[in-house]
Amino acid sequence: MVVGVVGGGQLGRMLALAGIPLGHSFRFLDPDPLCPASAVGEVIVGAYDDHSAVARFVAGIDVATFEFENVPVATMSAIAERVPTAPSARSLETAQDRISEKEFFRSCGIRVQPFEAVNTEAELAAACGRIGFPAVLKSRRLGYDGKGQCVVRSPHDLTAAWAAVHGAPAIYEAFVDFTAEISVIAVRSRDGDVRIWAINQNEHRAGILWRTISPAPAVNDAVRIAAEHAVRAAMDALGHVGVLTIEFFVTTDGLVANEMAPRVHNSGHWTIDGAVTSQFENHVRAVTDEPLGSTDARGVSGMVNIISIMPDREDILSVPGARLHDYGKSPRPGRKLAHVNVCAGDERIRDAQMRVLEDLVRRATQDVPAERDQAVGNA
Ligand code: AMP
């Protein structure tokens, strides 16, 4: 089949790298002719709302998907009128707006922190009165990797916080005192088969994912079952087809959902080397309506993101067991350039490999602060 992917970033590239061995070929819609996916398929160059580019993209593809959630819903709906498209516009729309996402979680019985929508600085002040401090102000739409958000610790921070979200419609949410951050990644087929990978434990720096280990040490059976139940409930409620990720805070009082992504996720990159079927391959299988593969882990896994600057490749490749996935991007502060996976028979070896890799990455990037708004990170 010819699989059309809206977006040609590294996620699109890795979808193709997983789908080509199954006999598929890939076409991407992206404004950048040299996007990371250009190495693995044809790129239709155009903006995501450019009707003529969308028409050229859709002519000749058999199925369509997207690789990031800020694609206009109207574009995906127009594509869905021509070819089978997954995930649906409903999944996309729900995840594009932090308020509708949290309301959706609540409707599925998934716990979220107290939150309120704010549209003006006066509404922000009123929300602070009800929810209190500390809290986080985030733009409702178009936020990713901690961009467009900041911590509000006292009434003195309000004006600066409102400026940080550029006065755009926002969400004011209580700061969660978490012991760990985890994500659960699952895939659902058109006939409702759901498979779930081992849970990921994630550490962020300046709001950007820095490392993931899986299975998550902070997760006991009860927490794992709760997270798996939540992702199943969310997928079934949406009639979702493809991969869906939910990020949670682990607290002493149970799980609190932070956000969801209706797509393959950075915290699941380890599945390329550490699972029987990767998140990318299973997403392609779901979109092309083929049976899903096993999500069983091959061992214990870890992933380190390479952001801003590429360390010496020879150093990375010399670490026993290290699997480098380079997206072919030019370096820029805050930009995800590559990731390195390890998969070992036990935690001791995996942790030793991770330490060496993290040192290499830290040494290369120590002088380069991430380019973003006021960091939330693990504040
Ligand atoms: P997000 O863009 O919502 O994924 O936020 C990026 C990161 O900021 C999260 O992974 C957390 O580390 C942190 N963060 C976001 N919202 C909150 C919150 N309400 N309480 C505590 N930390 C948060």
Side-chain angles (χ1 to χ4, degrees):
M1 283 194 197
V2 181
V3 181
V5 183
V6 179
Q10 65 265 23
L11 301 179
R13 176 182 171 114
M14 289 185 275
L15 285 170
L17 288 171
I20 289 169
L22 296 175
H24 303 304
S25 56
F26 285 77
R27 178 188 289 173
F28 301 90
L29 174 65
D30 197 283
D32 176 6
L34 300 177
C35 59
S38 62
V40 290
E42 180 194 4
V43 180
I44 304 296
V45 180
Y48 299 117
D49 56 358
D50 173 341
H51 296 299
S52 87
V54 171
R56 274 180 287 131
F57 166 76
V58 92
I61 60 173
D62 297 302
V63 292
T65 189
F66 53 84
E67 58 114 49
F68 74 115
E69 63 267 39
N70 291 329
V71 181
V73 170
T75 296
M76 289 318 297
S77 298
I79 294 169
E81 281 174 16
R82 303 282 303 279
V83 292
T85 299
S88 69
R90 175 148 184 244
S91 293
L92 182 63
E93 204 163 15
T94 307
Q96 277 184 348
D97 176 7
R98 289 186 189 271
I99 295 285
S100 63
E101 184 175 72
K102 286 210 165 32
E103 284 169 350
F104 170 70
F105 283 145
R106 270 189 184 156
S107 74
C108 297
I110 301 171
R111 189 168 147 223
V112 293
Q113 67 272 60
F115 68 91
E116 271 188 40
V118 294
N119 296 308
T120 62
E121 200 174 335
E123 283 181 17
L124 173 60
C128 293
R130 286 186 285 267
I131 292 176
F133 306 100
V136 186
L137 184 70
K138 302 176 179 178
S139 51
R140 275 175 75 156
R141 306 178 73 86
L142 302 177
Y144 69 97
D145 284 347
K147 289 185 167 64
Q149 56 180 266
C150 87
V151 180
V152 182
R153 295 179 195 284
S154 77
H156 303 297
D157 295 340
L158 289 188
T159 302
W162 190 241
V165 297
H166 308 293
I171 180 171
Y172 187 79
E173 58 179 52
F175 191 87
V176 179
D177 187 15
F178 58 83
T179 52
E181 289 189 80
I182 63 163
S183 55
V184 57
I185 305 181
V187 60
R188 187 174 181 278
S189 68
R190 287 186 199 279
D191 55 8
D193 182 19
V194 171
R195 308 283 177 98
I196 307 175
W197 282 270
I199 297 202
N200 315 299
Q201 187 158 327
N202 307 319
E203 275 177 43
H204 296 81
R205 289 183 163 186
I208 306 181
L209 183 64
W210 153 242
R211 80 197 288 268
T212 294
I213 51 174
S214 181
V219 168
N220 59 25
D221 281 348
V223 174
R224 178 179 55 75
I225 288 164
E228 290 176 352
H229 179 74
V231 78
R232 244 175 228 283
M235 286 181 133
D236 288 345
L238 290 167
H240 188 83
V241 174
V243 167
L244 183 109
T245 307
I246 304 184
E247 294 180 52
F248 292 96
F249 298 118
V250 182
T251 73
T252 46
D253 201 18
L255 289 175
V256 176
N258 179 32
E259 61 179 2
M260 70 178 187
R263 55 164 170 80
V264 287
H265 194 257
N266 195 165
S267 62
H269 288 2
W270 65 266
T271 61
I272 301 173
D273 298 300
V276 174
T277 316
S278 74
Q279 59 167 351
F280 300 101
E281 181 175 334
N282 261 343
H283 185 76
V284 172
R285 290 190 191 207
V287 171
T288 56
D289 200 14
E290 292 195 302
L292 301 178
S294 161
T295 48
D296 286 355
R298 295 181 186 279
V300 293
S301 287
M303 189 251 5
V304 183
N305 260 344
I306 297 179
I307 300 160
S308 307
I309 285 187
M310 195 67 187
D312 190 305
R313 291 167 59 94
E314 260 183 50
D315 288 347
I316 298 274
L317 293 169
S318 305
V319 178
R323 309 274 304 158
L324 174 64
H325 299 264
D326 183 340
Y327 313 145
K329 289 171 161 178
S330 48
R332 193 193 297 156
R335 197 174 204 199
K336 290 175 181 168
L337 303 176
H339 71 270
V340 192
N341 287 342
V342 293
C343 177
D346 65 53
E347 280 85 359
R348 200 177 48 84
I349 294 181
R350 189 266 320 270
D351 292 346
Q353 291 169 322
M354 292 285 282
R355 266 195 300 279
V356 177
L357 288 168
E358 283 166 30
D359 274 357
L360 287 173
V361 175
R362 258 198 222 105
R363 245 183 284 142
T365 55
Q366 61 189 352
D367 297 327
V368 184
E371 190 181 70
R372 51 167 309 233
D373 303 333
Q374 286 165 274
V376 176
N378 294 333

